[in-house]
């Protein structure tokens, strides 16, 4: 078992220090105070939904619940958006949508600090920052319910229900970015593993980077996002567009959007391939490396700003 995850000194700007404390507070709220949140802990699942909705409202946004039922229980995806204001030649067509998503349920038996309190905290922090911006694209933030088993990669998965509704409405989503378990880093040798030995030869063995993963169909979006991230970010990154059958590639809400024909990528610390507390009761807020987690989120803010200009 690796030692306590103390980060190497990284320089944070004063804005990033503010961001880090927001991320820390929201992970603590979701995983420390609310705790395990899923259909077996339905009141807590709803407490998390209320917290997310309230966070969007306090950011000055107007959240909407996109709900469906599973065996008589209402389940809620929660969305809030910055309506796009297209400029120039694009002004006559409806704005394209950049969708930033994170699942807010936790797996059975886990408080889900990294998986996926980290993704939700990041999504909320980005929503606060974009609430005051004017964008050409509609930037939509969505918290998804029921990503974890038994709904994982099935028809009742929150993001699958949601993506199908987007498709039925004809939403023009130019890119979906799934924030999935993004808060754990390690400088220990061999702290990074891979789903196949071949990938282990190509990619680093030290888990000190953030990963960007997509299917082959979404490789253009993936390359664009990685290039923009590297232009701005102060943390190493690796990108891989791989066939979706490679274990891990489809393991989050981007899968649902792929199924509906949309390009999508996942941002991840690689979860089971690095994080010793993956899907366990010990996935608690103290395990995260908040400095490096912050650099991922501040980098993603720049990525979304730049994607909006393309
Ligand atoms: Zn997850």
């Amino acid at each position: 078992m690796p030692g306590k995850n103390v980060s190497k000194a990284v320089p944070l700007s004063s804005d990033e220090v503010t961001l880090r404390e927001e991320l820390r507070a929201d992970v603590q709220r979701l995983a420390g105070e609310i705790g395990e949140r899923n259909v077996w802990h339905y009141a807590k699942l709803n407490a998390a939904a209320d917290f997310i909705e309230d966070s969007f409202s306090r950011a000055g946004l107007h959240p909407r619940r996109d709900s469906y039922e599973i065996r008589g229980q209402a389940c809620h995806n929660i969305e809030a958006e910055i309506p796009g204001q297209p400029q120039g030649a694009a002004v006559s067509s409806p704005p394209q949508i950049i969708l930033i998503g994170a699942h807010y349920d936790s797996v059975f038996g886990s408080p889900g600090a990294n998986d996926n309190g980290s993704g939700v905290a990041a999504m909320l922090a980005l929503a606060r920052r974009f609430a005051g911006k004017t964008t050409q694209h509609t930037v939509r933030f969505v918290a998804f319910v029921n990503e974890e088993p038994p709904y994982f990669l099935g028809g009742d998965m929150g993001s699958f229900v949601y993506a199908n509704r987007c498709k039925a409405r004809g939403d023009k989503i130019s890119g979906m970015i799934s924030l999935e378990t993004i808060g754990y880093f390690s400088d220990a040798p061999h702290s990074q593993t891979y789903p196949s030995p071949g990938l282990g030869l190509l990619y680093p063995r030290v888990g000190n980077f953030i990963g960007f993963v997509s299917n082959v169909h979404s490789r253009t979006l993936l390359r664009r996002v990685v290039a923009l991230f590297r232009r701005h970010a102060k943390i190493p990154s690796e990108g891989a567009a791989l066939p979706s059958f490679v274990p891990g590639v489809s393991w989050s809400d981007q899968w649902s959007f792929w199924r509906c024909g949309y390009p999508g990528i996942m941002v991840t610390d690689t979860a089971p391939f690095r994080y010793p507390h993956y899907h366990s009761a010990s996935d608690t807020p103290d395990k995260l490396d908040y400095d490096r987690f912050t650099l991922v989120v501040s980098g993603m803010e720049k990525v979304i700003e730049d994607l909006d200009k393309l």
Side-chain angles (χ1 to χ4, degrees), residues 68 77 144-147 151 156-163 253:
Y68 65 105
N77 299 309
F144 295 116
V145 72
N146 297 343
E147 188 268 353
Y151 307 111
D156 282 335
M157 190 175 174
S159 58
F160 188 77
V161 173
Y162 185 90
D253 301 302

Side-chain angles (χ1 to χ4, degrees), residues 102-107 114-117 147-149 152 178-181 251-253 266 268 271 278-279 283:
H103 76 85
Y104 70 90
D105 60 319
S106 67
V107 76
N114 198 18
D115 183 6
N116 190 30
E147 188 268 353
E148 298 286 2
F152 183 62
S178 170
L179 304 173
E180 171 60 73
T181 310
W251 289 358
S252 190
D253 301 302
M266 171 170 63
T268 182
Y278 177 69
H279 280 193
D283 180 10

Side-chain angles (χ1 to χ4, degrees), residues 89-213:
V91 88
S92 58
S93 50
Q96 300 250 322
I97 299 163
I98 299 171
L99 194 151
I100 314 300
H103 76 85
Y104 70 90
D105 60 319
S106 67
V107 76
F108 183 82
S110 173
N114 198 18
D115 183 6
N116 190 30
S118 66
V120 174
M123 191 268 297
L124 292 174
L126 290 167
R128 280 181 212 111
R129 280 152 184 78
F130 277 86
K133 296 187 210 264
T134 302
T135 55
Q136 297 201 63
H137 290 71
T138 291
V139 183
R140 187 186 291 171
F141 299 93
V142 191
F144 295 116
V145 72
N146 297 343
E147 188 268 353
E148 298 286 2
Y151 307 111
F152 183 62
L153 309 188
D156 282 335
M157 190 175 174
S159 58
F160 188 77
V161 173
Y162 185 90
N164 275 283
R165 289 178 180 176
C166 290
K167 185 182 173 186
R169 279 198 298 265
D171 284 2
K172 302 273 182 277
I173 299 171
S174 57
M176 185 275 178
I177 299 175
S178 170
L179 304 173
E180 171 60 73
T181 310
I182 57 174
Y184 183 80
F185 302 88
S186 173
D187 297 307
H190 309 293
S191 50
Q192 185 64 52
T193 66
Y194 293 92
S196 79
L199 289 171
L201 296 173
L202 287 168
Y203 287 96
R205 303 297 187 96
V206 176
N208 63 355
F209 61 90
I210 188 70
F212 294 86
V213 180

Side-chain angles (χ1 to χ4, degrees), residues 226-306:
V226 171
L228 294 173
F229 188 85
R230 287 180 179 165
R231 190 183 293 172
H232 297 291
K234 296 185 281 185
I235 183 167
S237 55
E238 298 293 337
L242 296 164
S244 53
F245 60 76
V246 174
V249 169
S250 63
W251 289 358
S252 190
D253 301 302
Q254 71 281 2
W255 171 84
S256 303
F257 288 81
W258 297 343
R259 292 295 302 266
C260 292
Y262 295 118
I265 68 166
M266 171 170 63
V267 186
T268 182
D269 65 21
T270 75
F273 303 106
R274 178 189 301 173
Y275 186 44
H277 308 283
Y278 177 69
H279 280 193
S280 85
S282 59
D283 180 10
T284 47
D286 56 304
K287 305 304 188 317
L288 276 63
D289 178 336
Y290 290 93
D291 281 1
R292 284 190 272 193
F293 175 21
T294 297
L295 296 181
V296 171
V297 181
S298 61
M300 286 310 297
E301 181 185 0
K302 299 284 201 303
V303 167
I304 300 161
E305 281 178 356
D306 284 358

